[in-house]
Amino acid sequence: MELIGSTLTATYARPKTSHFLPAISTMASSYRNPQTALVTNPGANLWRTSSYYKSSSSLPLTSPMQREDFDLVRAKTTMYPSNRSILTTRYTPDDWFKSNNNNYRESESSRKGAERLRKDTIRLMQDREQITRRTQENTSKNIAERVNDIVFWRSELTHEIDNMVTEIAALSEVKRRLERALAETEGPLQVSQECLYHREKRMSIDLVHDDVEKDLIKEVEVIKSCQEKMRRHLDRAIAQLAANRAAQHELEKDLSDKVTAHRIDDKCHHLRNTSDGIGFYRGIDRIDHSVSLPDSWSKFTDDNILRSQSERAASHKLRDEIEILLSSTSSEMWNQFSNVNVAFTNRISETSDAKNSLQAHLAKTLQEIFQTEMLIESLKRALRDKESPLKVAQTRLEERTRRPNIELCRDNPHHRLVSEVREIEDTIRKLQERLMEAENTLQTLVRTKVTLEHDLSIKGHSLFLDQDRCMSIRKSFPSMPRLVGYT
């Protein structure tokens, strides 16, 4: 056998072997049975000197540095050609070449993997850099669009606020005119109420049927209606002013928010990678403080503007209505004042006719009261007549419940008795309803009689009030300019 490899001493002294070397199948038996080599060459260890054992035993393998020192000592050890006969075979040349080729292939594979990783990593960094830059540009573009939207809505809000301020001033002026016109109506109303105060000593029914009283009441109603319209429009003006100011407040609040948002978004738009004040905010992307979406955001401002425009349109319409109201109420009150004065001249004859008519109605009412009383008596008598038949039918039913056992039969007499009781009870119920209606009618007739008698008792006194008390105070009325709110 050809001796190839290193000695056993070299193997012991150099335990660090290449892990790239493949397993040597030719030497496996020698590792499994280390005594084989000694048997083949019984004198293999006889040539080693004591100095060799001393040198090997004095250099224990306790650390890498000691191993290197041990290699140096072994290198200096003189190896004689006679020692070749005791060397132990470990690897063949094919194993050596295979080990080198494996190392070459693994080195080439490692280099290719490293090169591929380097190229992929560079490509990844370049791609991610482009994506990051493009994403940042898109974000900046979106923020710029957002800033433009905010600027647009801010200008719309500013324009609408200016219009609202002008409208509030105009409505306030019309409101002051309306307040002055309302104050001027107190004089005519006091005259009309004074006439009514003198005429209130008569019954209210006399006021209804008398033409002069109707005109006088109409005058009061006209003045009060005008005042009510004025107050209603005044309330509407106050409410409209409040609504205008509320809309203005919402616009100003929205404008303030837009200004703040514009400042923040404009700052964000001008932020760059080299800007001051940028920093890490871990987890900020997972926190959403949003309370609106783009559609709801624009809709909110648009709704505020639409609300303000609607309030301005309502305010302008209200101002026109107030102008028309002032003109119409002044004409209406003046015309009614003249009509009442003319109607007073015919009062005496009309009062006499009304008195005769009341007497006729009173006679008819008395006759109807008498007939109603007779009807009530007839109904009460009919109810009393139904008590005995009801008692008989109910007694029969009660007695028949005492029949024993199987005799307690629901026969035809039983059905007829039940039907009879229900029929009598229904008759009594209907009679009682008619009795209640008759009593209510009687009460109504009695109240009517009292009213008519009271009206007849004060007719003479009413004529005195119309001639002597009312006509003496109806001689003055405010001018038209004062009735429309001008001083």
Side-chain angles (χ1 to χ4, degrees):
M1 181 191 302
E2 184 180 1
L3 301 177
I4 299 175
S6 60
T7 63
L8 291 176
T9 305
T11 301
Y12 173 77
R14 295 178 61 87
K16 297 173 61 176
T17 60
S18 174
H19 62 279
F20 295 104
L21 295 177
I24 303 174
S25 60
T26 58
M27 296 300 295
S29 61
S30 65
Y31 283 110
R32 287 193 300 269
N33 190 4
Q35 300 297 328
T36 304
L38 297 178
V39 173
T40 304
N41 297 314
N45 295 328
L46 298 179
W47 69 274
R48 293 185 175 88
T49 62
S50 59
S51 62
Y52 174 78
Y53 290 103
K54 290 180 181 179
S55 61
S56 61
S57 62
S58 63
L59 296 173
L61 299 178
T62 59
S63 64
M65 184 62 70
Q66 291 176 349
R67 291 193 185 99
E68 293 177 0
D69 295 340
F70 182 78
D71 293 341
L72 181 62
V73 172
R74 190 188 62 173
K76 293 180 180 181
T77 303
T78 304
M79 303 297 294
Y80 298 97
S82 61
N83 294 338
R84 301 285 298 176
S85 61
I86 62 175
L87 294 178
T88 303
T89 300
R90 295 194 61 188
Y91 301 103
T92 64
D94 293 337
D95 295 334
W96 186 78
F97 285 111
K98 289 179 180 179
S99 175
N100 292 336
N101 290 332
N102 289 333
N103 291 336
Y104 299 156
R105 286 193 298 272
E106 291 182 3
S107 175
E108 184 177 1
S109 176
S110 300
R111 291 197 311 275
K112 289 181 179 180
E115 183 179 3
R116 184 168 58 254
L117 176 63
R118 185 177 67 257
K119 291 180 179 180
D120 292 343
T121 303
I122 293 173
R123 188 182 306 109
L124 175 64
M125 289 187 298
Q126 293 175 351
D127 293 341
R128 290 301 173 181
E129 176 64 22
Q130 293 178 359
I131 292 173
T132 302
R133 183 170 57 254
R134 186 166 55 252
T135 302
Q136 190 179 67
E137 292 175 355
N138 292 334
T139 303
S140 299
K141 181 179 178 181
N142 292 334
I143 295 177
E145 293 175 355
R146 179 69 171 184
V147 170
N148 292 332
D149 293 340
I150 293 174
V151 170
F152 169 75
W153 286 114
R154 187 179 63 180
S155 63
E156 292 293 323
L157 288 171
T158 303
H159 178 69
E160 185 60 31
I161 288 173
D162 294 338
N163 293 336
M164 180 57 73
V165 170
T166 303
E167 181 61 32
I168 288 175
L171 183 59
S172 298
E173 177 61 26
V174 174
K175 172 178 165 290
R176 285 190 291 270
R177 285 182 53 203
L178 182 60
E179 290 173 346
R180 289 193 294 266
L182 179 60
E184 289 295 331
T185 60
E186 292 298 328
L189 179 61
Q190 185 177 2
V191 172
S192 300
Q193 287 178 342
E194 187 71 20
C195 294
L196 287 175
Y197 173 76
H198 294 299
R199 294 173 62 87
E200 279 183 358
K201 296 178 182 180
R202 301 177 302 166
M203 298 298 293
S204 60
I205 192 65
D206 190 38
L207 299 176
V208 172
H209 292 90
D210 183 73
D211 291 339
V212 176
E213 192 68 21
K214 288 180 181 179
D215 290 336
L216 189 59
I217 292 174
K218 184 177 180 181
E219 183 181 23
V220 174
E221 290 176 352
V222 166
I223 296 175
K224 287 186 176 181
S225 176
C226 294
Q227 287 183 341
E228 181 63 25
K229 292 177 183 178
M230 291 179 183
R231 290 192 183 97
R232 186 166 58 247
H233 281 74
L234 183 60
D235 292 338
R236 288 178 57 190
I238 294 173
Q240 188 62 52
L241 283 173
N244 291 348
R245 291 190 178 97
Q248 179 185 359
H249 174 72
E250 292 297 330
L251 292 174
E252 290 175 349
K253 181 180 178 183
D254 195 2
L255 178 62
S256 176
D257 294 340
K258 290 291 185 293
V259 171
T260 303
H262 179 267
R263 176 176 55 80
I264 294 174
D265 285 346
D266 187 67
K267 177 182 177 181
C268 293
H269 176 63
H270 289 89
L271 282 178
R272 297 295 181 267
N273 295 333
T274 58
S275 300
D276 296 334
I278 61 175
F280 292 104
Y281 298 92
R282 302 297 183 184
I284 191 64
D285 55 318
R286 294 190 295 272
I287 300 175
D288 188 6
H289 296 289
S290 301
V291 296
S292 64
L293 297 175
D295 293 338
S296 62
W297 174 79
S298 59
K299 185 177 182 300
F300 177 79
T301 303
D302 188 50
D303 289 344
N304 287 335
I305 294 176
L306 289 177
R307 175 191 173 189
S308 177
Q309 292 175 350
S310 176
E311 296 296 343
R312 283 196 300 108
S315 179
H316 187 273
K317 181 180 178 181
L318 180 60
R319 287 193 291 112
D320 294 339
E321 291 178 359
I322 291 175
E323 292 289 347
I324 296 173
L325 175 67
L326 291 174
S327 178
S328 62
T329 52
S330 60
S331 300
E332 188 177 0
M333 286 187 292
W334 180 262
N335 293 333
Q336 187 59 33
F337 178 79
S338 300
N339 293 334
V340 172
N341 290 338
V342 172
F344 261 107
T345 59
N346 300 323
R347 179 55 183 164
I348 297 175
S349 59
E350 292 176 353
T351 303
S352 300
D353 294 339
K355 182 178 180 180
N356 295 332
S357 177
L358 287 173
Q359 289 175 348
H361 282 287
L362 180 59
K364 293 179 181 180
T365 302
L366 293 174
Q367 181 64 27
E368 189 65 29
I369 289 173
F370 175 75
Q371 293 179 357
T372 304
E373 290 177 349
M374 295 299 296
L375 176 62
I376 291 173
E377 291 297 329
S378 299
L379 289 172
K380 290 181 179 179
R381 186 168 52 255
L383 287 172
R384 287 193 299 269
D385 293 341
K386 295 297 183 293
E387 292 178 357
S388 296
L390 181 60
K391 291 178 181 179
V392 172
Q394 290 179 349
T395 303
R396 286 175 177 176
L397 281 174
E398 198 278 332
E399 287 296 332
R400 285 175 63 85
T401 58
R402 303 177 187 277
R403 291 177 295 171
N405 301 325
I406 196 65
E407 296 301 326
L408 194 62
C409 178
R410 186 177 294 176
D411 50 9
N412 289 333
H414 177 78
H415 290 292
R416 190 65 190 90
L417 285 172
V418 172
S419 176
E420 181 182 2
V421 170
R422 292 178 180 175
E423 181 179 351
I424 295 173
E425 289 178 347
D426 184 64
T427 301
I428 292 174
R429 180 179 58 79
K430 291 181 179 179
L431 291 175
Q432 288 176 346
E433 291 178 355
R434 290 301 176 90
L435 177 62
M436 185 178 296
E437 292 178 1
E439 290 176 349
N440 292 334
T441 303
L442 179 60
Q443 293 295 327
T444 303
L445 291 173
V446 170
R447 286 195 297 269
T448 303
K449 181 180 74 71
V450 173
T451 302
L452 293 174
E453 291 175 350
H454 184 66
D455 286 342
L456 291 172
S457 65
I458 62 168
K459 287 299 180 181
H461 185 62
S462 297
L463 293 174
F464 171 76
L465 294 176
D466 291 339
Q467 293 178 351
D468 298 336
R469 295 296 180 87
C470 296
M471 292 302 294
S472 62
I473 60 176
R474 300 182 59 84
K475 294 179 180 179
S476 62
F477 200 79
S479 62
M480 291 293 291
R482 295 176 66 87
L483 290 176
V484 294
Y486 293 106
T487 56

